[in-house]
Each structure stands twice: as structure tokens, then as C-alpha cells.
Amino acid sequence: MIVRVSEARVRPERFEAFRDMIVSAVREFPGRYPGLVDHEVLLGPPDSLLYVSRWRGEEDLVHYAGEHWRDQPVVLPGEAEYLLGPLRVRHFAGAPLT
């Protein structure tokens, strides 16, 4: 499993509108991307929002984000007007605890 974290630094005065836009946009992702195991939106008002998604594997991430999934975030139309700067994307793999 691969955990993908997209971090947005949001203009504080646009935070609620951006949250609503993101939640609306990602709500249907599980039906559109079968490799998406789980996802959530994490809020850090007044200016930080994370979209955390968990994927079965690399092939599923390519289907969602394209060949450059490792270093290029998925940007929604009109998203830039809400942001203080570019999105940051990171990926993590789990380590066994036993």
C-alpha cells in the first residue's frame, strides 16, 4: 500500500470554500478509482488542508495521477485561486510493527 499526502497551504479567507470544493471533488473518487483503498481530508485551519489517500499500489496511482505521480500533484481546475503556493505531494509506505 502507498499513502499519498497532498498538502495545500490555503488563503485563510478562502479556507472554508476550498474545503467545500475539495470534499465535493474527492467524494466520488472511490467509485472512479478502484485502486483507492481509503481517503480523507484533514483540516488544519486557518491555512492547511491535507488530502490523504491510500492506494493498493503504483499502477493504481498511475491511473489516478499519471506517470509523474511521485512528484507532481493532481491539481483541480480553479484550485490555484485558493492557495498561498503550489501543492506539495509526498508518499509513504508502511513498515511492519512486528
Side-chain angles (χ1 to χ4, degrees):
M1 181 179 311
I2 301 171
V3 178
R4 179 179 173 95
V5 179
S6 297
E7 180 178 8
R9 300 288 306 201
V10 185
R11 297 177 190 279
E13 70 276 8
R14 305 294 313 270
F15 187 83
E16 289 182 25
F18 184 69
R19 177 203 60 211
D20 293 346
M21 182 184 86
I22 294 300
V23 168
S24 177
V26 303
R27 184 175 286 129
E28 303 301 322
F29 278 12
R32 292 174 51 195
Y33 303 103
L36 178 60
V37 176
D38 187 23
H39 67 155
E40 61 188 325
V41 173
L42 301 176
L43 307 174
D47 65 357
S48 183
L49 182 144
L50 302 177
Y51 175 58
V52 180
S53 53
R54 293 163 189 84
W55 299 85
R56 283 187 310 216
E58 184 173 333
E59 185 176 311
D60 299 303
L61 270 166
V62 170
H63 178 68
Y64 165 67
E67 292 294 325
H68 300 286
W69 64 269
R70 285 179 184 86
D71 54 12
Q72 291 183 359
V74 173
V75 179
L76 301 174
E79 191 170 289
E81 71 183 70
Y82 296 91
L83 303 180
L84 293 168
L87 290 176
R88 181 176 178 201
V89 65
R90 295 176 290 168
H91 300 90
F92 304 88
L97 297 176
T98 57

